[in-house]
Amino acid sequence: MNSSSDDQGPANPIGKEPVEPAQDQESEASVSADTKVPAIEVNSLSKKYGEIEAVKEVTFQVSQGEVFAFLGPNGAGKSTTIRMLCTLTKPTGGSATVDGFDVQRQPTAVRRRIGLVFQEPTLDQQLTAEENLRFHAVLYRVPRQQVDERIDRVLKLVDLEARRKDLVSTFSGGMARRLEIARGMLHTPAVLFLDEPTIGLDPQTRALMWEDVLRLRTEEGVTIFLTTHYMDEAEYADRIAIIDHGSIVALDTPDELKKMVGSDTVELSTSDNKLAASNLEQLGYKVKLGEESLVVYVENGEQQVTAIIEGSQVPIRNVRVHRPDLDDVFLHFTGREIREGHAERAFPMHFRSFRR
Amino acid sequence: MATANISIGRPGLVDERNHFGFEMRTIEMVWHREIIRFVRTRTRILSSFVQPILFLFVLGYGMTTLVGTTGGFDFKKFVFPGIVSMTVVTTAIFSAISIVWDREFGFLREMLVAPVSRGALVLGKALGGSTIATVQGTIMLVLAPLIGVHLTVMLVVEVILLEALMAFALTTFGVFVASRIQKMEGFQVVMQLVLFPMIFLSGALFPLEGLPSWLAFITRINPLTYAVDPLRHVVFAAQNMPPAAAARFATGVTIFGYLLPLWGEIVIVVAFALIFLVLAISGFGKPD
Ligand SMILES: Nc1ncnc2c1ncn2[C@@H]1O[C@H](COP(=O)(O)OP(=O)(O)OP(=O)(O)O)[C@@H](O)[C@H]1O
Ligand SMILES: [Mg+2]
């Protein structure tokens, strides 16, 4: 009744090339979706908490069927943006629509069209997986005769069919998280918001979850808006917005963003990084000075590395050549590394999942 | 049927109307969840009987000497309807604690972000709590033969109806308090400060006449007084009370020398329930 064969395909992102699915499968929904309203349209959206500007005049669009990632460090304003789009927090400026409905003027219509997986867990531990889903089905008015079918389907999607009769309190953190994602999908929302969906998941489960998410997109044509601070994860998205201190500092496909940074980088740590950087800049290299090293952006790192070492004119301690990844992109646009100033990678991931 | 003409979640196909049927389904589901959770926490079921039974026997034996003349009527029989009320009231109020749990465990957000009316959520909660409290109170009736309280089918039906009303009033009150409180400890404190004085000054555990006038005044503004009295009234009416006992333990509440009729008491409880229902709905989920 509601699978991929209908017309929920992604329109081309405005002003962008058609997005390639970040993963293998060809999105069969990616054909023809000309007159579709954008799944999300945001204009100068702002949110102030007293003095703190959590979100500053953010503007972007997400097309139907797109996987769109908000990438940013702690406190960047990711959750605040999601809360505004989900009608849970009133913006202090600007406007936004979700599936064509204004988040401020038509909150109920918006709520009926969205699925939301909060950053914090929101399952009832004392109910079984299935009971949690049934409860959700009623809240979102899933027609009675479709409830069982939908529950079977979403449980299959996240591979939890075998545990459907078990209490959620007996689930591991990763299983609970996947159940939440399944629940977010249960009522086939037009847009699914996932606020740091992979928090507390091990790498294997993270990969599985991404398979789930991308399958949802292809099979159900759902638009997915997610936040993360894992670079590798943002790669799965069709487009990424890098958000820092409440503003979007860059927005494009992962490939384009990497191209903007340069095709390769050579990272040097030297006895005098500042001097090396200015020497290299004089030779016409594009250089960015980090805290303990400097990064040189070049077309072909491996061939250029000797020339760069010579050009720096200072003793070298360490050299590393690598193809750019999103860490570099982040560094490039914010001048900082994303892991600076927060503990995400220093502590085991599951520490965060218990945070209140 | 109401659900036939909509498709789930697809843009443009969603039913925007506020169907009564959907609201009823939500109420039923929230109610159902309360029941499931209650049945799963067996310790809670047991512990909620301990206190009333303790009160029944401690007061039953202890107070007999203090109350003085009982007109040949076992004081345990007097206190029995009060103990039933106490069971109902405590269970009802504490059922609202689930809201505070829901907040702490995040489930409240799942409910609040959903496109459902707060009224349906609150009503479901309140009906769930009332059902549990009514069942608990009714289970207490098994003690009746033990202490010589005579039960008839009619009496049991009347008691259940009055319990349900009392339970509903107190759950809405509990929901109202719980939805304004962020922390578990907060709820406990408020309840200790409000619940126990309310029970003690309601006539549930000892007769209200002969109190100093300021205390008498408090018992008259205590809504619980008007919930307990009808219950005692119907229980006593089914007993063969000696006239001396009937005079000693007269039911009915007098205000300014005017004896309130039974229906008047019930109207007061209904009004209390409705006021707190409205307040609970309007306050539900506001702080976040
Ligand atoms: N309810 C609130 N009251 C006051 N300030 C808030 C509130 N919610 C968020 N903020 C502030 O807004 C800023 C952005 O917070 P937000 O939760 O959106 O960050 P985030 O990008 O989701 O971070 P994280 O990765 O830690 O989840 C922070 O400085 C935060 O302190
Ligand atoms: Mg966040």
Side-chain angles (χ1 to χ4, degrees):
Chain A
M1 67 298 144
N2 47 29
S3 66
S4 46
S5 54
D6 63 18
D7 59 354
Q8 298 309 316
N12 294 344
I14 311 302
K16 292 285 182 315
E17 283 304 306
V19 271
E20 304 164 350
Q23 279 266 304
D24 37 334
Q25 335 90 317
E26 172 75 54
S27 163
E28 67 165 315
S30 65
V31 277
S32 86
D34 27 71
T35 57
K36 278 287 159 204
V37 291
I40 303 173
E41 192 170 11
V42 173
N43 274 312
S44 321
L45 197 65
S46 305
K47 177 71 188 181
K48 272 192 192 171
Y49 289 108
E51 290 293 286
I52 305 169
E53 276 189 272
V55 176
K56 296 174 204 160
E57 308 236 331
V58 161
T59 299
F60 63 92
Q61 281 198 356
V62 180
S63 315
Q64 306 266 355
E66 204 180 350
V67 177
F68 188 89
F70 246 31
L71 176 68
N74 285 150
K78 304 183 296 295
S79 298
T80 306
T81 308
I82 285 199
R83 279 205 302 275
M84 288 192 282
L85 294 178
C86 295
T87 76
L88 295 176
T89 297
K90 282 207 182 341
T92 47
S95 64
T97 63
V98 172
D99 205 38
F101 293 89
D102 190 290
V103 296
Q104 291 186 79
R105 278 177 285 127
Q106 297 152 298
T108 312
V110 170
R111 285 179 186 207
R112 291 216 178 117
R113 284 166 176 78
I114 60 172
L116 173 57
V117 175
F118 289 98
Q119 190 170 341
E120 305 82 17
T122 61
L123 291 166
D124 185 340
Q125 304 271 330
Q126 289 189 49
L127 297 187
T128 66
E130 186 177 335
E131 285 163 352
N132 266 287
L133 295 178
R134 269 188 204 289
F135 193 89
H136 186 88
V138 171
L139 290 188
Y140 285 83
R141 303 186 168 191
V142 177
R144 247 179 238 279
Q145 60 273 28
Q146 290 179 18
V147 172
D148 289 327
E149 187 191 329
R150 287 299 304 170
I151 288 178
D152 290 345
R153 183 177 170 85
V154 294
L155 283 175
K156 199 172 285 167
L157 270 172
V158 298
D159 202 21
L160 282 175
E161 296 148 290
R163 304 296 301 264
R164 66 189 293 161
K165 300 278 184 207
D166 293 348
L167 291 182
V168 173
S169 54
T170 68
F171 278 24
S172 75
M175 284 159 59
R177 201 66 184 148
R178 276 155 64 201
L179 180 61
E180 289 198 283
I181 292 166
R183 188 180 62 180
M185 285 311 303
L186 186 68
H187 55 290
T188 53
V191 184
L192 178 60
F193 291 91
L194 304 169
D195 198 355
E196 303 194 18
T198 54
I199 261 190
L201 302 189
D202 60 41
Q204 194 194 344
T205 315
R206 269 214 265 165
L208 276 177
M209 193 226 78
W210 271 100
E211 265 175 43
D212 299 341
V213 166
L214 296 170
R215 197 164 349 134
L216 292 172
R217 187 265 297 272
T218 29
E219 291 183 9
E220 310 239 344
V222 179
T223 306
I224 291 164
F225 181 105
L226 65 104
T227 74
T228 179
H229 22 73
Y230 297 123
M231 294 293 174
D232 49 340
E233 208 160 88
E235 304 259 6
Y236 290 106
D238 297 324
R239 284 191 306 146
I240 302 171
I242 295 180
I243 179 165
D244 192 28
H245 299 305
S247 308
I248 292 182
V249 293
L251 196 171
D252 217 319
T253 63
D255 285 344
E256 282 299 318
L257 286 173
K258 285 184 224 165
K259 267 188 213 149
M260 281 180 219
V261 176
S263 53
D264 279 12
T265 60
V266 178
E267 190 181 346
L268 303 174
S269 68
T270 70
S271 54
D272 187 345
N273 289 341
K274 269 206 181 117
L275 180 63
S278 74
N279 287 341
L280 286 166
E281 264 165 1
Q282 274 171 16
L283 293 172
Y285 285 106
K286 199 168 152 225
V287 182
K288 201 108 198 182
L289 197 56
E291 284 209 335
E292 277 143 30
S293 62
L294 67 152
V295 178
V296 186
Y297 301 93
V298 283
E299 279 304 312
N300 194 328
E302 263 148 34
Q303 281 172 20
Q304 300 254 353
V305 67
T306 27
I308 290 171
I309 289 173
E310 277 166 18
S312 69
Q313 296 173 27
V314 290
I316 306 285
R317 287 208 202 101
N318 205 339
V319 184
R320 205 156 54 99
V321 180
H322 68 126
R323 307 202 67 79
D325 57 24
L326 286 171
D327 278 306
D328 305 300
V329 174
F330 193 83
L331 179 64
H332 177 84
F333 285 105
T334 66
R336 291 179 295 120
E337 297 195 13
I338 195 165
R339 23 180 129 81
E340 274 173 26
H342 58 94
E344 249 53 66
R345 304 213 173 178
F347 287 106
M349 279 193 290
H350 61 261
F351 271 43
R352 290 204 71 206
S353 62
F354 292 118
R355 200 184 66 169
R356 285 267 144 70
Chain B
M1 69 185 275
T3 54
N5 56 346
I6 71 147
S7 162
I8 41 176
R10 303 318 296 179
L13 292 173
V14 183
D15 193 333
E16 294 297 330
R17 285 163 299 167
N18 269 321
H19 272 306
F20 181 69
F22 283 119
E23 297 286 325
M24 294 308 284
R25 245 179 105 194
T26 307
I27 294 172
E28 195 269 339
M29 197 65 207
V30 176
W31 174 85
H32 195 158
R33 171 172 174 260
E34 296 293 311
I35 305 297
I36 292 177
R37 286 172 61 102
F38 181 72
V39 171
R40 283 196 188 142
T41 49
R42 290 188 197 86
T43 48
R44 198 173 123 199
I45 307 182
L46 283 178
S47 71
S48 52
F49 288 123
V50 174
Q51 202 183 37
I53 292 175
L54 210 68
F55 268 84
L56 177 62
F57 288 100
V58 168
L59 289 176
Y61 291 109
M63 292 288 279
T64 314
T65 48
L66 292 176
V67 175
T69 168
T70 56
F73 193 61
D74 187 350
F75 189 72
K76 283 199 286 301
K77 289 186 191 170
F78 165 82
V79 94
F80 183 68
I83 294 295
V84 171
S85 306
M86 184 178 168
T87 313
V88 172
V89 168
T90 7
T91 316
I93 286 205
F94 277 98
S95 76
I97 222 171
S98 69
I99 291 176
V100 186
W101 281 121
D102 286 350
R103 189 193 305 283
E104 289 201 354
F105 286 98
F107 193 76
L108 193 64
R109 294 182 132 206
E110 149 81 355
M111 289 192 273
L112 291 177
V113 72
V116 292
S117 71
R118 289 201 221 115
L121 295 176
V122 169
L123 216 52
K125 278 267 180 205
L127 291 174
S130 318
T131 309
I132 293 165
T134 307
V135 169
Q136 294 272 64
T138 308
I139 292 175
M140 288 299 289
L141 293 182
V142 301
L143 293 177
L146 224 66
I147 54 172
V149 171
H150 178 64
L151 293 181
T152 63
V153 176
M154 191 54 203
L155 173 59
V156 172
V157 171
E158 285 170 348
V159 167
I160 290 178
L161 289 176
L162 289 170
E163 280 174 342
L165 173 62
M166 188 189 306
F168 187 72
L170 272 296
T171 342
T172 55
F173 176 67
V175 171
F176 165 74
V177 173
S179 58
R180 260 143 237 267
I181 280 178
Q182 304 291 328
K183 285 268 165 283
M184 206 43 132
E185 301 80 51
F187 188 79
Q188 308 274 24
V189 168
V190 171
M191 282 312 150
Q192 304 293 343
L193 288 178
V194 174
L195 181 61
F196 288 107
M198 250 171 112
I199 290 176
F200 286 123
L201 296 175
S202 68
L205 305 179
F206 49 84
L208 287 183
E209 71 269 16
L211 291 174
S213 61
W214 64 274
L215 261 186
F217 175 75
I218 293 178
T219 61
R220 297 305 189 269
I221 59 168
N222 177 3
L224 213 53
T225 303
Y226 306 97
V228 171
D229 188 67
L231 197 83
R232 174 163 290 136
H233 180 90
V234 297
V235 172
F236 281 10
Q239 313 305 314
N240 273 327
M241 286 174 84
R248 174 70 185 85
F249 299 120
T251 57
V253 181
T254 45
I255 298 177
F256 304 122
Y258 170 73
L259 183 70
L260 211 62
L262 201 65
W263 64 263
E265 297 178 340
I266 289 173
V267 166
I268 290 177
V269 182
V270 170
F272 177 84
L274 291 181
I275 288 169
F276 278 100
L277 182 65
V278 170
L279 290 176
I281 291 172
S282 70
F284 195 64
K286 282 266 177 65
D288 198 339

